[in-house]
Amino acid sequence: MRALLNNFDPYKQVYNRLLSLMLTGHDTDKIEMIVLGGTRDVYPKSYKIEFIKWLYDACNHFDEFLEQVEIDFSTPKAPRYTTTEGLSIIYPATIEESITRNESANNRIIWLTIETRPEYVTHENCQLWRELGVTRMEMGIQTLYNSVHEKNKRGHDNDAIVKAMHLLRQYGFKISTHFMPGLYWS
């Protein structure tokens, strides 16, 4: 819902979430960032890097953002900020700079989770996820029955799940899995 309200702009989503947390008295010095919404690995590598960079940049510059915007606290609804135009925030040029800056930022991402599927867990993707600071993977397993995988055209089987889990553990990721009770043919 937050993505829809912010036209899927990562900066706006992060700014608005941090703002709502701040206004309700929550500390935002240590952030568990969870990127929901499907398999990130279907996107081009450049977009994956750019998207994660936006998350770091929004956290790194949240204080600058607050200094530059006027927020109407008199409305009965929770304040939302819906534009990043006109802000004079200078973001780093590279993801490496953004991650390094985040290590000492006031709003540090200490836990970064993205979603994937077993067939996308490769050495190349694991290396990229680690470079981007990802700490936990949510993986859509859905079922442990190969016949249900096949009937639902999941694109993987149990062998792929076992290999993916092993590889994720080798790279030191925390892992959470998704299951879908009641799938067709189960």
Side-chain angles (χ1 to χ4, degrees):
M1 194 57 161
R2 183 173 296 110
L4 185 61
L5 288 170
N6 290 287
N7 296 319
F8 297 91
D9 182 314
Y11 287 120
K12 292 181 206 175
Q13 291 177 62
V14 173
Y15 286 154
N16 282 308
R17 183 61 179 144
L18 290 175
L19 179 61
S20 67
L21 288 168
M22 183 193 76
L23 292 173
T24 55
H26 294 280
D27 290 330
T28 60
D29 57 332
K30 296 179 182 175
I31 298 166
E32 178 180 348
M33 182 76 66
I34 302 173
V35 181
L36 298 175
T39 305
R40 309 294 318 157
D41 295 305
V42 299
Y43 298 110
K45 181 179 178 180
S46 60
Y47 177 74
K48 291 187 280 190
I49 293 168
E50 184 178 34
F51 186 90
I52 298 298
K53 182 182 179 305
W54 288 332
L55 303 180
Y56 281 109
D57 286 343
C59 289
N60 293 344
H61 298 280
F62 180 65
D63 296 337
E64 290 176 68
F65 160 79
L66 285 178
E67 292 172 3
Q68 295 183 36
V69 297
E70 292 180 28
I71 301 170
D72 181 7
F73 293 99
S74 64
T75 61
K77 288 184 174 182
R80 272 199 359 254
Y81 186 73
T82 57
T83 183
T84 51
E85 293 176 21
L87 297 180
S88 60
I89 297 174
I90 299 171
Y91 300 106
T94 67
I95 182 74
E96 293 82 11
E97 291 175 79
S98 296
I99 290 171
T100 299
R101 182 174 286 180
N102 190 255
E103 291 170 0
S104 60
N106 290 336
N107 303 285
R108 291 186 347 262
I109 298 174
I110 61 165
W111 194 272
L112 178 57
T113 303
I114 62 171
E115 294 180 338
T116 194
R117 295 168 49 117
E119 65 268 30
Y120 287 100
V121 178
T122 64
H123 283 287
E124 181 183 357
N125 282 338
C126 286
Q127 288 170 347
L128 177 62
W129 298 328
R130 274 298 182 205
E131 289 169 13
L132 297 178
V134 174
T135 54
R136 181 174 66 188
M137 299 300 299
E138 289 191 7
M139 188 166 50
I141 290 175
Q142 317 318 17
T143 184
L144 293 177
Y145 296 100
N146 279 330
S147 60
V148 178
H149 288 300
E150 187 178 322
K151 292 288 184 183
N152 287 276
K153 300 180 180 173
R154 287 291 304 154
H156 64 82
D157 59 13
N158 287 343
D159 287 341
I161 294 169
V162 169
K163 288 176 187 171
M165 295 292 273
H166 178 72
L167 196 55
L168 290 173
R169 284 194 303 264
Q170 281 185 318
Y171 278 87
F173 290 105
K174 303 292 186 211
I175 306 166
S176 46
T177 57
H178 298 181
F179 288 88
M180 291 181 144
L183 276 174
Y184 174 68
W185 209 256
S186 62

mmCIF file of all heavy atoms in Angstrom, residues 139-167:
data_model
loop_
_atom_site.group_PDB
_atom_site.id
_atom_site.type_symbol
_atom_site.label_atom_id
_atom_site.label_comp_id
_atom_site.label_asym_id
_atom_site.label_seq_id
_atom_site.Cartn_x
_atom_site.Cartn_y
_atom_site.Cartn_z
ATOM 1 N N MET A 139 12.522 -16.733 0.497
ATOM 2 C CA MET A 139 12.444 -17.567 -0.701
ATOM 3 C C MET A 139 11.079 -18.234 -0.795
ATOM 4 O O MET A 139 10.615 -18.856 0.152
ATOM 5 C CB MET A 139 13.561 -18.614 -0.671
ATOM 6 C CG MET A 139 13.673 -19.397 -1.962
ATOM 7 S SD MET A 139 15.205 -20.334 -2.117
ATOM 8 C CE MET A 139 15.303 -21.214 -0.595
ATOM 9 N N GLY A 140 10.460 -18.089 -1.966
ATOM 10 C CA GLY A 140 9.162 -18.689 -2.221
ATOM 11 C C GLY A 140 9.297 -20.153 -2.588
ATOM 12 O O GLY A 140 9.530 -20.495 -3.748
ATOM 13 N N ILE A 141 9.163 -21.025 -1.602
ATOM 14 C CA ILE A 141 9.210 -22.468 -1.838
ATOM 15 C C ILE A 141 7.822 -22.970 -2.214
ATOM 16 O O ILE A 141 7.654 -23.768 -3.120
ATOM 17 C CB ILE A 141 9.748 -23.191 -0.578
ATOM 18 C CG1 ILE A 141 11.234 -22.880 -0.411
ATOM 19 C CG2 ILE A 141 9.519 -24.693 -0.678
ATOM 20 C CD1 ILE A 141 11.830 -23.429 0.853
ATOM 21 N N GLN A 142 6.799 -22.503 -1.495
ATOM 22 C CA GLN A 142 5.376 -22.756 -1.698
ATOM 23 C C GLN A 142 4.918 -24.157 -1.293
ATOM 24 O O GLN A 142 3.894 -24.309 -0.687
ATOM 25 C CB GLN A 142 4.908 -22.438 -3.121
ATOM 26 C CG GLN A 142 5.408 -21.161 -3.764
ATOM 27 C CD GLN A 142 5.452 -19.914 -2.893
ATOM 28 O OE1 GLN A 142 5.399 -19.974 -1.694
ATOM 29 N NE2 GLN A 142 5.602 -18.770 -3.513
ATOM 30 N N THR A 143 5.640 -25.202 -1.688
ATOM 31 C CA THR A 143 5.247 -26.574 -1.337
ATOM 32 C C THR A 143 6.472 -27.476 -1.376
ATOM 33 O O THR A 143 7.494 -27.101 -1.954
ATOM 34 C CB THR A 143 4.169 -27.105 -2.301
ATOM 35 O OG1 THR A 143 3.747 -28.409 -1.877
ATOM 36 C CG2 THR A 143 4.680 -27.198 -3.722
ATOM 37 N N LEU A 144 6.364 -28.653 -0.786
ATOM 38 C CA LEU A 144 7.462 -29.617 -0.855
ATOM 39 C C LEU A 144 7.102 -30.825 -1.716
ATOM 40 O O LEU A 144 7.776 -31.846 -1.674
ATOM 41 C CB LEU A 144 7.860 -30.073 0.558
ATOM 42 C CG LEU A 144 8.485 -28.977 1.427
ATOM 43 C CD1 LEU A 144 8.767 -29.497 2.832
ATOM 44 C CD2 LEU A 144 9.751 -28.439 0.795
ATOM 45 N N TYR A 145 6.061 -30.694 -2.505
ATOM 46 C CA TYR A 145 5.621 -31.776 -3.380
ATOM 47 C C TYR A 145 5.948 -31.419 -4.829
ATOM 48 O O TYR A 145 5.411 -30.449 -5.371
ATOM 49 C CB TYR A 145 4.121 -32.033 -3.226
ATOM 50 C CG TYR A 145 3.752 -32.506 -1.841
ATOM 51 C CD1 TYR A 145 3.224 -31.619 -0.910
ATOM 52 C CD2 TYR A 145 3.961 -33.827 -1.457
ATOM 53 C CE1 TYR A 145 2.895 -32.044 0.367
ATOM 54 C CE2 TYR A 145 3.637 -34.258 -0.182
ATOM 55 C CZ TYR A 145 3.107 -33.362 0.721
ATOM 56 O OH TYR A 145 2.788 -33.784 1.992
ATOM 57 N N ASN A 146 6.811 -32.219 -5.455
ATOM 58 C CA ASN A 146 7.188 -31.950 -6.841
ATOM 59 C C ASN A 146 5.988 -31.942 -7.779
ATOM 60 O O ASN A 146 5.943 -31.146 -8.720
ATOM 61 C CB ASN A 146 8.229 -32.962 -7.323
ATOM 62 C CG ASN A 146 9.620 -32.597 -6.854
ATOM 63 O OD1 ASN A 146 9.947 -31.424 -6.679
ATOM 64 N ND2 ASN A 146 10.458 -33.603 -6.642
ATOM 65 N N SER A 147 5.006 -32.805 -7.528
ATOM 66 C CA SER A 147 3.824 -32.834 -8.396
ATOM 67 C C SER A 147 3.059 -31.510 -8.328
ATOM 68 O O SER A 147 2.530 -31.040 -9.335
ATOM 69 C CB SER A 147 2.901 -33.998 -8.010
ATOM 70 O OG SER A 147 2.471 -33.860 -6.657
ATOM 71 N N VAL A 148 3.024 -30.872 -7.162
ATOM 72 C CA VAL A 148 2.343 -29.577 -7.014
ATOM 73 C C VAL A 148 3.166 -28.480 -7.686
ATOM 74 O O VAL A 148 2.604 -27.598 -8.343
ATOM 75 C CB VAL A 148 2.080 -29.262 -5.522
ATOM 76 C CG1 VAL A 148 1.432 -27.898 -5.354
ATOM 77 C CG2 VAL A 148 1.209 -30.358 -4.895
ATOM 78 N N HIS A 149 4.491 -28.532 -7.556
ATOM 79 C CA HIS A 149 5.346 -27.583 -8.278
ATOM 80 C C HIS A 149 5.057 -27.650 -9.776
ATOM 81 O O HIS A 149 4.882 -26.626 -10.438
ATOM 82 C CB HIS A 149 6.842 -27.901 -8.071
ATOM 83 C CG HIS A 149 7.375 -27.583 -6.722
ATOM 84 N ND1 HIS A 149 7.366 -26.318 -6.178
ATOM 85 C CD2 HIS A 149 7.968 -28.378 -5.799
ATOM 86 C CE1 HIS A 149 7.929 -26.345 -4.988
ATOM 87 N NE2 HIS A 149 8.295 -27.595 -4.721
ATOM 88 N N GLU A 150 5.012 -28.875 -10.283
ATOM 89 C CA GLU A 150 4.822 -29.076 -11.709
ATOM 90 C C GLU A 150 3.445 -28.586 -12.166
ATOM 91 O O GLU A 150 3.335 -27.872 -13.161
ATOM 92 C CB GLU A 150 4.985 -30.571 -12.034
ATOM 93 C CG GLU A 150 4.980 -30.875 -13.506
ATOM 94 C CD GLU A 150 5.191 -32.357 -13.764
ATOM 95 O OE1 GLU A 150 5.995 -32.982 -13.042
ATOM 96 O OE2 GLU A 150 4.541 -32.871 -14.687
ATOM 97 N N LYS A 151 2.389 -28.952 -11.451
ATOM 98 C CA LYS A 151 1.025 -28.551 -11.830
ATOM 99 C C LYS A 151 0.840 -27.037 -11.776
ATOM 100 O O LYS A 151 0.062 -26.465 -12.516
ATOM 101 C CB LYS A 151 -0.019 -29.222 -10.935
ATOM 102 C CG LYS A 151 -0.127 -30.705 -11.122
ATOM 103 C CD LYS A 151 -0.777 -31.028 -12.436
ATOM 104 C CE LYS A 151 -0.967 -32.539 -12.545
ATOM 105 N NZ LYS A 151 -1.532 -32.928 -13.817
ATOM 106 N N ASN A 152 1.560 -26.372 -10.876
ATOM 107 C CA ASN A 152 1.440 -24.922 -10.729
ATOM 108 C C ASN A 152 2.505 -24.160 -11.516
ATOM 109 O O ASN A 152 2.585 -22.943 -11.408
ATOM 110 C CB ASN A 152 1.502 -24.530 -9.250
ATOM 111 C CG ASN A 152 0.235 -24.898 -8.530
ATOM 112 O OD1 ASN A 152 -0.728 -24.151 -8.559
ATOM 113 N ND2 ASN A 152 0.212 -26.068 -7.894
ATOM 114 N N LYS A 153 3.295 -24.902 -12.297
ATOM 115 C CA LYS A 153 4.326 -24.312 -13.158
ATOM 116 C C LYS A 153 5.237 -23.371 -12.376
ATOM 117 O O LYS A 153 5.487 -22.233 -12.783
ATOM 118 C CB LYS A 153 3.678 -23.611 -14.358
ATOM 119 C CG LYS A 153 2.867 -24.572 -15.188
ATOM 120 C CD LYS A 153 2.231 -23.929 -16.366
ATOM 121 C CE LYS A 153 1.463 -25.023 -17.082
ATOM 122 N NZ LYS A 153 0.660 -24.604 -18.147
ATOM 123 N N ARG A 154 5.737 -23.869 -11.250
ATOM 124 C CA ARG A 154 6.578 -23.063 -10.374
ATOM 125 C C ARG A 154 7.961 -22.783 -10.967
ATOM 126 O O ARG A 154 8.616 -21.830 -10.580
ATOM 127 C CB ARG A 154 6.748 -23.767 -9.020
ATOM 128 C CG ARG A 154 5.542 -23.753 -8.146
ATOM 129 C CD ARG A 154 5.221 -22.383 -7.613
ATOM 130 N NE ARG A 154 6.358 -21.818 -6.907
ATOM 131 C CZ ARG A 154 6.570 -20.524 -6.762
ATOM 132 N NH1 ARG A 154 5.740 -19.658 -7.276
ATOM 133 N NH2 ARG A 154 7.622 -20.098 -6.118
ATOM 134 N N GLY A 155 8.440 -23.636 -11.866
ATOM 135 C CA GLY A 155 9.745 -23.386 -12.458
ATOM 136 C C GLY A 155 10.898 -23.995 -11.681
ATOM 137 O O GLY A 155 12.055 -23.750 -12.006
ATOM 138 N N HIS A 156 10.584 -24.749 -10.629
ATOM 139 C CA HIS A 156 11.627 -25.423 -9.858
ATOM 140 C C HIS A 156 11.031 -26.665 -9.219
ATOM 141 O O HIS A 156 9.826 -26.868 -9.221
ATOM 142 C CB HIS A 156 12.224 -24.497 -8.791
ATOM 143 C CG HIS A 156 11.243 -24.068 -7.745
ATOM 144 N ND1 HIS A 156 10.905 -24.841 -6.661
ATOM 145 C CD2 HIS A 156 10.508 -22.931 -7.634
ATOM 146 C CE1 HIS A 156 10.020 -24.203 -5.920
ATOM 147 N NE2 HIS A 156 9.760 -23.040 -6.492
ATOM 148 N N ASP A 157 11.915 -27.498 -8.680
ATOM 149 C CA ASP A 157 11.481 -28.693 -7.953
ATOM 150 C C ASP A 157 12.195 -28.720 -6.612
ATOM 151 O O ASP A 157 12.916 -27.783 -6.254
ATOM 152 C CB ASP A 157 11.740 -29.963 -8.775
ATOM 153 C CG ASP A 157 13.209 -30.159 -9.124
ATOM 154 O OD1 ASP A 157 14.084 -29.461 -8.549
ATOM 155 O OD2 ASP A 157 13.505 -31.017 -9.963
ATOM 156 N N ASN A 158 12.017 -29.804 -5.878
ATOM 157 C CA ASN A 158 12.631 -29.897 -4.553
ATOM 158 C C ASN A 158 14.157 -29.916 -4.600
ATOM 159 O O ASN A 158 14.813 -29.415 -3.688
ATOM 160 C CB ASN A 158 12.115 -31.126 -3.802
ATOM 161 C CG ASN A 158 10.683 -30.922 -3.346
ATOM 162 O OD1 ASN A 158 10.179 -29.802 -3.308
ATOM 163 N ND2 ASN A 158 10.021 -32.007 -2.987
ATOM 164 N N ASP A 159 14.727 -30.489 -5.656
ATOM 165 C CA ASP A 159 16.186 -30.475 -5.783
ATOM 166 C C ASP A 159 16.704 -29.041 -5.853
ATOM 167 O O ASP A 159 17.729 -28.708 -5.255
ATOM 168 C CB ASP A 159 16.641 -31.252 -7.024
ATOM 169 C CG ASP A 159 16.496 -32.759 -6.866
ATOM 170 O OD1 ASP A 159 16.400 -33.223 -5.701
ATOM 171 O OD2 ASP A 159 16.474 -33.457 -7.893
ATOM 172 N N ALA A 160 16.001 -28.181 -6.583
ATOM 173 C CA ALA A 160 16.398 -26.773 -6.681
ATOM 174 C C ALA A 160 16.296 -26.087 -5.319
ATOM 175 O O ALA A 160 17.132 -25.242 -4.973
ATOM 176 C CB ALA A 160 15.535 -26.042 -7.705
ATOM 177 N N ILE A 161 15.290 -26.451 -4.536
ATOM 178 C CA ILE A 161 15.134 -25.880 -3.190
ATOM 179 C C ILE A 161 16.311 -26.271 -2.309
ATOM 180 O O ILE A 161 16.901 -25.429 -1.627
ATOM 181 C CB ILE A 161 13.804 -26.342 -2.550
ATOM 182 C CG1 ILE A 161 12.614 -25.771 -3.317
ATOM 183 C CG2 ILE A 161 13.742 -25.934 -1.089
ATOM 184 C CD1 ILE A 161 11.278 -26.390 -2.930
ATOM 185 N N VAL A 162 16.669 -27.554 -2.351
ATOM 186 C CA VAL A 162 17.790 -28.044 -1.529
ATOM 187 C C VAL A 162 19.078 -27.334 -1.933
ATOM 188 O O VAL A 162 19.848 -26.859 -1.079
ATOM 189 C CB VAL A 162 17.930 -29.577 -1.653
ATOM 190 C CG1 VAL A 162 19.220 -30.074 -1.029
ATOM 191 C CG2 VAL A 162 16.723 -30.261 -1.037
ATOM 192 N N LYS A 163 19.331 -27.220 -3.239
ATOM 193 C CA LYS A 163 20.545 -26.547 -3.719
ATOM 194 C C LYS A 163 20.543 -25.076 -3.319
ATOM 195 O O LYS A 163 21.572 -24.536 -2.892
ATOM 196 C CB LYS A 163 20.655 -26.689 -5.239
ATOM 197 C CG LYS A 163 21.008 -28.087 -5.692
ATOM 198 C CD LYS A 163 21.001 -28.192 -7.204
ATOM 199 C CE LYS A 163 21.193 -29.640 -7.628
ATOM 200 N NZ LYS A 163 20.985 -29.829 -9.069
ATOM 201 N N ALA A 164 19.398 -24.423 -3.450
ATOM 202 C CA ALA A 164 19.296 -22.995 -3.103
ATOM 203 C C ALA A 164 19.545 -22.778 -1.617
ATOM 204 O O ALA A 164 20.289 -21.871 -1.228
ATOM 205 C CB ALA A 164 17.922 -22.453 -3.503
ATOM 206 N N MET A 165 18.937 -23.605 -0.775
ATOM 207 C CA MET A 165 19.133 -23.474 0.671
ATOM 208 C C MET A 165 20.601 -23.664 1.032
ATOM 209 O O MET A 165 21.151 -22.915 1.852
ATOM 210 C CB MET A 165 18.265 -24.486 1.426
ATOM 211 C CG MET A 165 16.773 -24.258 1.266
ATOM 212 S SD MET A 165 16.217 -22.775 2.061
ATOM 213 C CE MET A 165 15.902 -23.393 3.683
ATOM 214 N N HIS A 166 21.235 -24.649 0.427
ATOM 215 C CA HIS A 166 22.649 -24.912 0.696
ATOM 216 C C HIS A 166 23.506 -23.712 0.294
ATOM 217 O O HIS A 166 24.378 -23.263 1.056
ATOM 218 C CB HIS A 166 23.103 -26.177 -0.045
ATOM 219 C CG HIS A 166 24.551 -26.488 0.142
ATOM 220 N ND1 HIS A 166 25.072 -26.955 1.332
ATOM 221 C CD2 HIS A 166 25.593 -26.370 -0.713
ATOM 222 C CE1 HIS A 166 26.372 -27.120 1.206
ATOM 223 N NE2 HIS A 166 26.716 -26.777 -0.024
ATOM 224 N N LEU A 167 23.264 -23.178 -0.892
ATOM 225 C CA LEU A 167 24.045 -22.049 -1.388
ATOM 226 C C LEU A 167 23.832 -20.804 -0.528
ATOM 227 O O LEU A 167 24.799 -20.103 -0.184
ATOM 228 C CB LEU A 167 23.674 -21.764 -2.848
ATOM 229 C CG LEU A 167 24.622 -20.886 -3.646
ATOM 230 C CD1 LEU A 167 26.047 -21.431 -3.618
ATOM 231 C CD2 LEU A 167 24.124 -20.770 -5.083
#
